[in-house]
């Protein structure tokens, strides 16, 4: 076996799995599986299948998901930079499917970084409703915000807050909540051997404390009749079945929705929690033990993916009581409580923004125009809701106010479709032009390649750059030369 597993982990899993243990251990000798998920905000699944530069094999539990071979290197293709797909471990695509998102839903991804599940939620919302995506680790929100931008999400707010801080202003505000909970990570040992090495430092007991607080606060964030999906990438029953059993016994308005699938999902293991207790030391009711059998598990010896646990909890629609969540936020932590200073746009600044839109776009963007520092956003939520929160992105970042002008942002370009702009240039992935643009080079482009919405528009000016018809960034075209506006931090390396 290539992976060295902690002895204590092996002993625990042998005790839990019994006769399945040998097959479970054999899975660690098998190579891991790689997947991509098509970003339907930019391209339909059928179109991508026709366009794909590498072979695809469907992932059974998600229509947009496909297995790819390791040597396909999907991160080294221009389509990755165009945001046409997200590189994601196959099992990690399952939780969002269980949310059953509908158009117009208000959705919270509570532990979101680096953003794979948030981009999946955004694609299902298809520009409707609201997505609030959050992580309490400030460093991790950098990747979260970038992924929201790369994949063309227009209706999201990105926060760096503790759950109870969000609950102060978003009380009972969300139809669907995803909790991809911090956990001991046992299901990821094959994907990341370092997690196996660090396992004993990430104690199950500490994870349980965090998970309990997150779930308890989530109940105060959910609207009556809403749904919570809880997932982990660990096998530990204390973090899985016992956590859900404790929650539903404490919150009688919730019931567990069976996780049924023909895709190899296994049932939860209610019998594993018979000897466990809740936070107060009380044993679980037999009815609850049977109910958690309706949760789901993805085992690496039963599916082509890593280990996951899944639970769906549906609220019955009755009046939701005030949740007695514990406020863990520190009064001394001013950074986590105070948003970036924001000001209203002056009449002149608003005109600069609107003039750019009139001159360069063929659509009207939805949302509230707000300014944080010199950055301008279209926000899908009233700004009073964000007061007192550490806001990473108050909405769709559309540009920056410079002296007497408005400069469009890179995220504005990545979210636009070719038909939504007045001026565009198509580059082909089959030539070196696309990679040269992604590396930040200046290109020579004749005027006949500048595609205009109508003959009255001059070729000179900001132009949306597309690769095979899919947006990747801005350029400025003048007299046969394309000045590259692709940001340095995003470039091909």
């Amino acid at each position: 076996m290539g992976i060295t597993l902690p002895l204590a982990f092996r002993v625990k899993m042998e005790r839990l799995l019994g006769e399945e243990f040998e097959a479970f251990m054999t899975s660690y000798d098998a190579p891991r599986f790689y997947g991509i998920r098509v970003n339907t905000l930019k391209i339909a699944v059928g179109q991508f299948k026709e366009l794909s530069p590498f072979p695809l094999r469907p992932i059974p539990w998600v229509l947009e998901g496909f297995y790819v071979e390791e040597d396909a290197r999907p991160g080294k293709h221009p389509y990755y930079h165009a945001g046409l797909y997200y590189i994601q471990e196959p099992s990690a695509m399952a939780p969002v499917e269980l949310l059953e998102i509908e158009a117009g839903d208000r959705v919270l991804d509570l532990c979101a970084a680096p953003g794979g599940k948030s981009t999946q939620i955004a694609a299902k919302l298809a520009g409707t409703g609201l997505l609030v995506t959050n992580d309490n680790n400030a460093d991790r929100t950098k990747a979260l915000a970038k992924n929201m931008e790369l994949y063309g999400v227009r209706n999201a707010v990105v926060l760096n807050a503790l759950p109870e801080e969000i609950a102060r202003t978003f009380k009972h505000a969300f139809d669907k909540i995803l909790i991809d909970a911090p956990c001991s990570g046992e299901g990821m040992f094959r994907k990341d051997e370092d997690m196996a090495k660090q396992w004993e430092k990430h104690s199950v007991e500490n994870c349980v404390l965090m998970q309990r607080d997150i779930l308890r606060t989530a109940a105060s964030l959910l609207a009556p009749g809403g749904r919570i999906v809880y997932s982990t990438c660990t096998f530990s029953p204390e973090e899985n079945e016992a956590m859900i059993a404790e929650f539903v016994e404490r919150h009688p308005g919730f019931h567990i929705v069976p996780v049924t699938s023909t895709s190899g999902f296994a049932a939860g293991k209610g019998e594993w929690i018979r000897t466990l207790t809740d936070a107060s030391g009380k044993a679980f009711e037999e009815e609850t033990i049977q109910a958690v059998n309706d949760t789901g598990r993805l085992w690496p010896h039963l599916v082509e993916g890593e280990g996951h646990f899944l639970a769906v909890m549906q609220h019955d629609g009755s009046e939701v009581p005030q949740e007695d969540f514990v406020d863990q936020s520190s009064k001394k932590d001013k950074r986590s409580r105070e948003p970036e200073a924001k000001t209203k746009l002056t009449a002149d600044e608003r005109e600069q923004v609107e003039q750019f839109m009139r001159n360069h776009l063929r659509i009207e963007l939805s949302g509230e125009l707000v300014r944080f520092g010199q950055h301008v956003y279209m926000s899908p939520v009233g700004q009073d809701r964000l007061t007192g929160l550490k806001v990473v992105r108050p909405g769709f970042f559309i540009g920056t106010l410079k002296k007497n002008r408005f400069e469009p942002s890179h995220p504005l370009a990545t979210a636009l479709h070719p038909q939504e702009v007045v001026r565009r240039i198509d580059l082909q992935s089959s030539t070196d032009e696309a990679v040269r643009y992604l590396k930040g080079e200046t290109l020579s482009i004749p005027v006949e390649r500048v595609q205009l919405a109508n003959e009255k528009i001059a070729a000179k000016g900001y132009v949306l750059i597309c690769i095979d018809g899919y947006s990747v960034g801005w350029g400025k075209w003048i007299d046969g030369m394309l000045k590259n506006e692709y940001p340095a931090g995003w470039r091909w390396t």
Side-chain angles (χ1 to χ4, degrees):
M1 182 169 58
I3 300 173
T4 301
L5 298 173
L7 178 60
F9 171 73
R10 292 168 59 107
V11 170
K12 180 179 81 168
M13 296 310 298
E14 185 171 13
R15 173 176 55 83
L16 291 172
L17 287 173
E19 62 183 21
E20 281 191 76
F21 177 69
E22 185 176 343
F24 171 76
M25 292 300 294
T26 300
S27 71
Y28 288 94
D29 293 326
R32 56 170 289 206
F33 293 93
Y34 295 81
I36 63 168
R37 180 177 40 77
V38 177
N39 177 21
T40 54
L41 288 176
K42 302 199 77 169
I43 186 172
V45 172
Q47 290 175 312
F48 183 77
K49 289 168 71 174
E50 294 178 1
L51 199 67
S52 177
F54 31 75
L56 303 173
R57 185 166 59 87
I59 295 172
W61 47 88
V62 52
L63 178 65
E64 301 84 7
F66 297 91
Y67 293 103
V68 295
E69 297 300 322
E70 181 179 5
D71 59 7
R73 303 181 71 200
K76 290 295 184 181
H77 193 280
Y79 293 163
Y80 172 79
H81 292 263
L84 299 193
Y85 50 80
Y86 189 93
I87 301 170
Q88 191 171 21
E89 194 280 312
S91 294
M93 301 179 195
V96 171
E97 296 300 304
L98 300 178
L99 280 173
E100 296 189 354
I101 291 170
E102 299 175 344
D105 275 346
R106 298 158 296 168
V107 186
L108 171 64
D109 189 353
L110 201 48
C111 312
K117 295 178 179 66
S118 284
T119 61
Q120 190 175 359
I121 291 168
K124 290 185 178 297
L125 286 172
T128 69
L130 168 68
L131 170 59
V132 175
T133 179
N134 173 75
D135 204 277
N136 67 3
N137 184 311
D139 289 337
R140 285 169 58 82
T141 59
K142 296 174 184 177
L144 174 58
K146 184 174 181 179
N147 279 323
M148 290 291 99
E149 294 167 351
L150 173 60
Y151 292 94
V153 180
R154 304 186 192 184
N155 59 331
V157 172
V158 182
L159 302 179
N160 169 215
L162 296 171
E164 54 268 24
E165 292 173 334
I166 302 173
R168 295 194 195 108
T169 57
F170 283 96
K171 193 176 303 296
H172 306 312
F174 297 100
D175 304 300
K176 310 283 171 62
I177 297 176
L178 177 66
I179 303 171
D180 188 34
C183 68
S184 54
E186 296 167 351
M188 292 292 110
F189 288 174
R190 183 169 59 173
K191 177 183 176 183
D192 185 354
E193 192 170 352
D194 285 340
M195 296 189 77
K197 296 176 182 177
Q198 299 293 320
W199 175 70
E200 291 178 342
K201 297 180 181 179
H202 298 286
S203 76
V204 169
E205 292 76 16
N206 287 339
C207 292
V208 163
L209 293 175
M210 288 189 289
Q211 293 154 359
R212 180 177 292 130
D213 285 338
I214 290 169
L215 268 168
R216 187 165 50 190
T217 305
S220 69
L221 287 157
L222 191 72
R227 171 174 289 207
I228 296 174
V229 170
Y230 173 90
S231 67
T232 72
C233 56
T234 194
F235 303 119
S236 163
E238 294 88 347
E239 301 176 70
N240 295 329
E241 287 88 352
M243 190 57 54
I244 300 307
E246 181 178 328
F247 180 83
V248 296
E249 287 193 353
R250 180 184 173 91
H251 300 83
F254 285 87
H255 67 274
I256 298 171
V257 177
V259 176
T260 57
S261 173
T262 58
S263 308
F265 290 17
K269 297 286 188 178
E271 66 271 19
W272 286 359
I273 66 170
R274 289 189 186 281
T275 61
L276 302 178
T277 61
D278 67 10
S280 65
K282 183 178 75 68
F284 297 114
E285 302 287 344
E286 181 61 29
E287 182 180 357
T288 307
I289 291 172
Q290 294 301 321
V292 296
N293 288 326
D294 283 335
T295 61
R297 283 179 173 269
L298 281 71
W299 291 101
H301 62 291
L302 298 179
V303 300
E304 294 182 327
E306 306 307 323
H308 266 63
F309 172 83
L310 308 162
V312 181
M313 290 163 289
Q314 185 74 36
H315 190 260
D316 62 13
S318 60
E319 183 178 350
V320 185
Q322 171 63 41
E323 176 58 41
D324 58 338
F325 64 83
V326 179
D327 192 342
Q328 302 287 348
S329 58
S330 169
K331 294 180 180 179
K332 297 180 181 179
D333 185 6
K334 299 294 185 182
R335 179 204 58 79
S336 68
R337 289 174 174 266
E338 296 177 0
E340 181 183 347
K342 59 180 182 290
T343 58
K344 293 183 179 179
L345 276 74
T346 67
D348 285 346
E349 290 169 341
R350 183 176 290 272
E351 174 56 25
Q352 290 169 24
V353 175
E354 292 176 350
Q355 183 180 46
F356 178 89
M357 300 302 169
R358 288 194 301 270
N359 292 342
H360 296 85
L361 304 189
R362 305 175 70 186
I363 58 165
E364 290 188 11
L365 300 176
S366 61
E368 178 185 349
L369 196 63
V370 297
R371 169 181 166 181
F372 273 54
Q374 295 303 108
H375 291 175
V376 180
Y377 299 82
M378 297 299 294
S379 180
V381 64
Q383 294 306 288
D384 57 325
R385 277 283 178 87
L386 303 181
T387 300
L389 295 172
K390 176 64 176 178
V391 180
V392 180
R393 296 285 189 274
F396 176 25
F397 176 34
I398 62 171
T400 304
L401 292 165
K402 304 285 187 174
K403 187 176 180 180
N404 298 320
R405 64 187 174 89
F406 172 78
E407 186 174 286
S409 70
H410 182 66
L412 175 60
T414 58
L416 290 170
H417 296 275
Q419 66 272 19
E420 295 176 331
V421 296
V422 302
R423 194 182 292 112
R424 61 182 268 212
I425 292 174
D426 271 324
L427 306 178
Q428 302 302 314
S429 64
S430 58
T431 72
D432 67 348
E433 274 187 340
V435 173
R436 287 176 59 203
Y437 171 79
L438 295 171
K439 288 182 175 180
E441 297 180 19
T442 298
L443 300 178
S444 177
I445 302 288
V447 66
E448 55 267 23
R449 290 185 59 187
V450 182
Q451 300 180 53
L452 305 174
N454 61 64
E455 66 276 4
K456 297 179 181 179
I457 297 170
K460 178 182 176 181
Y462 274 104
V463 56
L464 183 70
I465 305 302
C466 301
I467 294 177
D468 294 346
Y470 300 95
S471 61
V472 290
W474 294 112
K476 284 182 181 177
W477 187 91
I478 181 170
D479 296 334
M481 299 302 295
L482 180 68
K483 180 183 176 183
N484 200 314
E485 297 287 317
Y486 199 73
W490 294 60
R491 289 178 186 168
W492 183 288
T493 56

